[in-house]
């Protein structure tokens, strides 16, 4: 079995961060979200991985390399335009050959990995297998409708009136029959070849499309809120450790990891929190669900439930919360300016000014 990892797309919902970085490389707990998926694929016993890349392909290649760091053999497949998930399958036909394959969305985050799904697929050998989970806003996702006995009977992509609350999670398993389906469908109203349309094509022809409803944690990390929530989730199981320097006048409370080369002086850190290598926290408060990447400076400031990327500084700021801060960013107070009032008032005016 091979894996097809989708790492194209422009990441518009994470702009301006994705103007300069691939959305799949934005870190969760100081590790790119794409890496969690690659590790999960390796844990499932899959070694051959094709990564579909677009305009950020060079950055993805530099980060992942040949895949050997993950125990994988990686091949890159260029997708000139992001024309849909089924289009990615279409252009990967030569690489995939006639093997079964896993398709994994590179910006999705799944707690618990995908090994159980892969094992189930290998045992039952359906034509396709999906992971589904219940969501509050199904209209934002591909949606599956199940029969009373739990079979998939219909699929729709981002429907205006969803018939269920079961969203399709970004991990799919296919036999080679899906190649016929992606060749047969036409672009949707969005101008994309939708994988849900390909799956519906299989259903319409009596093919076996099996669902696995998961109750574990899943996030499509396409926006800031989901990134922060995924970061919180990973930090909740963080193994506390002090590998750097923590001064005697500092407090570490709960699950806190201070990485090698990091320093904490005169500060209070309440976990779960992660201080990356070479970062320095001075006279500050770092609150729960916060990850500080490498070589950052947090000075005389307060921050919690946030992600700070490498080589950034926060100085003299109260208070930073629920924020995603990119690389080489400087956050500091604005300079004070003299206050004044300027008026053009008509006759008989009355004004009240708070001092």
């Amino acid at each position: 079995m091979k894996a097809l990892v989708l790492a194209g797309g422009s990441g518009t919902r994470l702009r301006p961060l994705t103007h300069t970085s691939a959305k799949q490389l934005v870190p969760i707990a100081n590790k790119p979200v794409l890496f969690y998926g690659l590790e999960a694929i390796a844990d499932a016993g899959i070694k051959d991985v094709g990564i579909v890349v677009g305009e950020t392909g060079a950055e993805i290649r530099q980060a992942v390399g040949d895949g050997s760091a993950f125990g994988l053999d990686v091949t890159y497949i260029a997708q000139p335009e992001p024309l849909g998930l089924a289009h990615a399958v279409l252009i990967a036909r030569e690489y995939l050959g006639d093997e079964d394959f896993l398709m994994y969305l590179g910006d999705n985050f799944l707690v618990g990995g995908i090994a159980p799904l892969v094992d189930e697929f290998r045992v039952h050998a359906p034509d396709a297998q999906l992971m589904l989970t219940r969501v509050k806003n199904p209209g934002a996702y591909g949606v599956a409708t199940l029969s009373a006995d739990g079979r998939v009977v219909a699929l729709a992509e981002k429907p205006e009136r969803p018939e269920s609350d079961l969203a399709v999670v970004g991990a799919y398993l296919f036999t080679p029959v899906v190649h016929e389906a992606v060749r047969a469908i036409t672009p949707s109203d969005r101008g994309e070849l939708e994988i849900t349309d390909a799956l519906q094509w299989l259903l319409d022809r009596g093919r076996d499309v099996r669902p696995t409803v998961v109750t574990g944690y899943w996030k499509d990390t396409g926006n800031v809120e989901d990134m922060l929530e995924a970061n919180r989730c990973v930090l909740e199981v963080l193994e506390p450790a002090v590998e750097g320097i923590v001064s005697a006048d500092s407090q570490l409370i709960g699950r806190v990891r201070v990485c090698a080369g990091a320093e904490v002086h005169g500060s209070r850190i309440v976990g779960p929190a992660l201080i990356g290598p070479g970062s320095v926290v001075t006279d500050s408060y770092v609150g729960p669900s916060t990850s500080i990447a490498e070589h950052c400076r947090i000075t005389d400031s307060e921050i919690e439930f946030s992600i700070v990327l490498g080589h950034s500084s926060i100085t003299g700021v109260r208070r930073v919360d629920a924020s995603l801060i990119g690389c080489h960013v400087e956050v500091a107070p604005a300079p004070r300016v003299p206050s004044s009032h300027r008026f053009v008032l008509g006759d008989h005016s009355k004004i009240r000014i708070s001092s």
Side-chain angles (χ1 to χ4, degrees):
M1 181 183 293
K2 290 181 177 179
L4 186 67
V5 176
L6 275 55
S10 54
T12 55
R13 291 179 295 164
L14 279 174
R15 286 179 178 167
L17 211 63
T18 48
H19 280 307
T20 54
S21 176
K23 65 177 180 178
Q24 297 84 5
L25 297 181
V26 176
I28 294 174
N30 290 359
K31 181 165 67 176
V33 63
L34 175 62
F35 288 12
Y36 290 95
L38 295 177
E39 290 169 354
I41 289 167
D43 290 342
I46 301 172
K47 301 301 180 186
D48 294 319
V49 178
I51 301 182
V52 177
V53 295
E55 60 184 17
T56 59
E59 191 175 0
I60 299 289
R61 289 171 187 262
Q62 183 177 9
V64 178
D66 63 1
S68 58
F70 305 93
L72 303 172
D73 184 3
V74 167
T75 298
Y76 293 95
I77 302 164
Q79 185 181 32
E81 294 182 76
L83 297 177
L85 305 188
H87 180 260
V89 176
L90 193 66
I91 65 171
R93 179 69 177 93
E94 182 178 351
Y95 171 77
L96 294 169
D98 292 324
E99 295 188 45
D100 297 343
F101 67 97
L102 162 77
M103 184 171 77
Y104 192 99
L105 306 191
D107 61 351
N108 275 221
F109 180 76
L110 284 158
V111 169
I114 55 173
L117 179 74
V118 173
D119 291 342
E120 186 178 350
F121 178 80
R122 284 172 167 153
V123 169
H124 298 291
D127 294 298
Q129 188 150 349
L130 313 176
M131 291 182 75
L132 307 175
T133 193
R134 299 192 184 279
V135 296
K136 295 179 180 178
N137 56 333
Y141 304 97
V143 175
T145 303
L146 304 186
S147 64
D149 59 354
R151 294 180 298 108
V152 181
V153 294
L155 289 143
E157 187 65 30
K158 297 180 174 62
E160 291 185 9
R161 296 180 179 84
E163 295 188 10
S164 85
D165 62 350
L166 288 170
V168 182
V169 175
Y172 311 73
L173 284 152
F174 295 110
T175 61
V177 70
V178 74
H179 296 301
E180 184 180 358
V182 299
R183 288 195 304 269
I185 62 174
T186 56
S188 66
D189 292 341
R190 302 193 307 156
E192 297 186 3
L193 292 176
E194 310 287 3
I195 199 65
T196 44
D197 288 346
L199 288 162
Q200 186 64 53
W201 188 93
L202 294 175
L203 286 171
D204 293 342
R205 283 150 186 80
R207 294 291 189 168
D208 185 8
V209 178
R210 294 200 176 195
T212 298
V213 179
V214 295
T215 56
Y217 188 86
W218 164 74
K219 281 292 180 186
D220 171 3
T221 59
N223 59 51
V224 173
E225 292 77 13
D226 287 343
M227 286 292 304
L228 293 174
E229 182 60 21
N231 192 64
R232 181 200 64 77
C233 180
V234 175
L235 292 178
E236 286 290 345
V237 295
L238 179 74
E239 289 297 327
V242 176
E243 300 164 340
I245 297 171
V246 178
S247 67
D249 59 347
S250 296
Q251 281 185 299
L252 305 184
I253 302 170
R255 291 181 176 274
V256 176
R257 174 174 291 177
V258 180
C259 295
E263 300 181 21
V264 178
H265 301 283
S267 299
R268 186 169 187 256
I269 302 179
V270 179
L274 176 61
I275 311 301
S279 289
V280 179
V281 180
T282 306
D283 299 330
S284 295
Y285 166 77
V286 177
S289 304
T290 301
S291 59
I292 309 296
E294 71 282 358
H295 302 294
C296 292
R297 296 290 182 271
I298 312 296
T299 305
D300 190 27
S301 298
E302 299 176 4
I303 183 171
E304 69 177 35
F305 192 53
S306 294
I307 299 172
V308 182
L309 276 59
H311 302 271
S312 291
S313 66
I314 302 174
T315 304
V317 178
R318 306 230 187 321
R319 162 159 178 154
V320 178
D321 181 39
S323 297
L324 176 55
I325 297 172
C327 298
H328 300 278
V329 171
E330 297 180 6
V331 182
R336 292 184 177 273
V337 296
S339 60
S340 63
H341 305 286
R342 182 181 179 187
F343 306 111
V344 177
L345 301 174
D347 296 346
H348 308 292
S349 296
K350 293 182 180 180
I351 62 170
R352 292 173 177 82
I353 301 172
S354 58
S355 57

